[in-house]
Amino acid sequence: MNTEQIMERINSSPYLKENHLQVEMMQEKEAIASIIIDDNILNPHGYAHGGAIYSVADLAAGAACCYGGHSVVTLNGSINYIKAGSGVKLLAHAEVISKGGHTAVIGVRITNEKEILIAQATFTMYFVDQDRYDVKR
């Protein structure tokens, strides 16, 4: 599967479509994901909800590990909210910090379209590639 096909597979998720999330760029050990800030993701104060910010960070972290056709699930995620999520669009820039045989640690910076830092996150992803399912019981 090439990178474009992987991005299409990821971006076809109903959850992503419903919440205006998408992977915009993937390359080895890096990815950028985005979410549109609209009325559906605002908190009661009029800013992007923390859960929406976490979702775009999680998406970018996973996409950074999927280059080359890997499949991952989130083992752990930690986020620090720096500023209120405002603007038109949030961008999550993910970079793999460390990759082992079963897991990877990814750092994610979440900014708005003006490149103002909104949040910083760290994720641990677990590789669930097909060959891992073929373990005999």
Side-chain angles (χ1 to χ4, degrees):
M1 213 182 276
N2 66 35
T3 302
E4 187 173 303
Q5 291 170 321
I6 295 166
M7 285 177 56
E8 285 177 19
R9 180 177 57 95
I10 294 169
N11 286 332
S12 69
S13 161
Y15 175 79
L16 300 186
K17 288 180 177 183
E18 182 70 25
N19 292 289
H20 307 291
L21 286 152
Q22 73 172 0
V23 176
E24 294 194 1
M25 185 279 292
M26 277 179 60
Q27 58 188 31
E28 190 171 4
K29 297 185 178 182
E30 287 184 65
I32 296 174
S34 67
I35 187 168
I36 302 299
I37 299 176
D38 63 14
D39 291 343
N40 293 323
I41 71 159
L42 298 181
N43 66 21
H45 307 290
Y47 297 105
H49 190 282
I53 298 169
Y54 186 94
S55 284
V56 73
D58 184 45
L59 174 59
C65 295
C66 288
Y67 185 86
H70 294 292
S71 292
V72 296
V73 293
T74 305
L75 278 179
N76 187 47
S78 174
I79 190 165
N80 291 300
Y81 299 97
I82 313 289
K83 291 194 175 180
S86 62
V88 176
K89 182 186 215 181
L90 296 180
L91 297 161
H93 307 259
E95 185 175 346
V96 175
I97 297 167
S98 175
K99 182 179 175 188
H102 299 282
T103 62
V105 176
I106 302 92
V108 185
R109 289 176 42 89
I110 303 91
T111 64
N112 65 13
E113 74 281 359
K114 296 179 182 174
E115 298 187 12
I116 295 171
L117 183 64
I118 304 299
Q120 184 84 33
T122 304
F123 287 86
T124 302
M125 297 299 203
Y126 180 77
F127 292 98
V128 291
D129 296 332
Q130 185 59 44
D131 61 346
R132 302 215 189 275
Y133 290 121
D134 294 337
V135 175
K136 293 182 181 177
R137 294 174 193 230

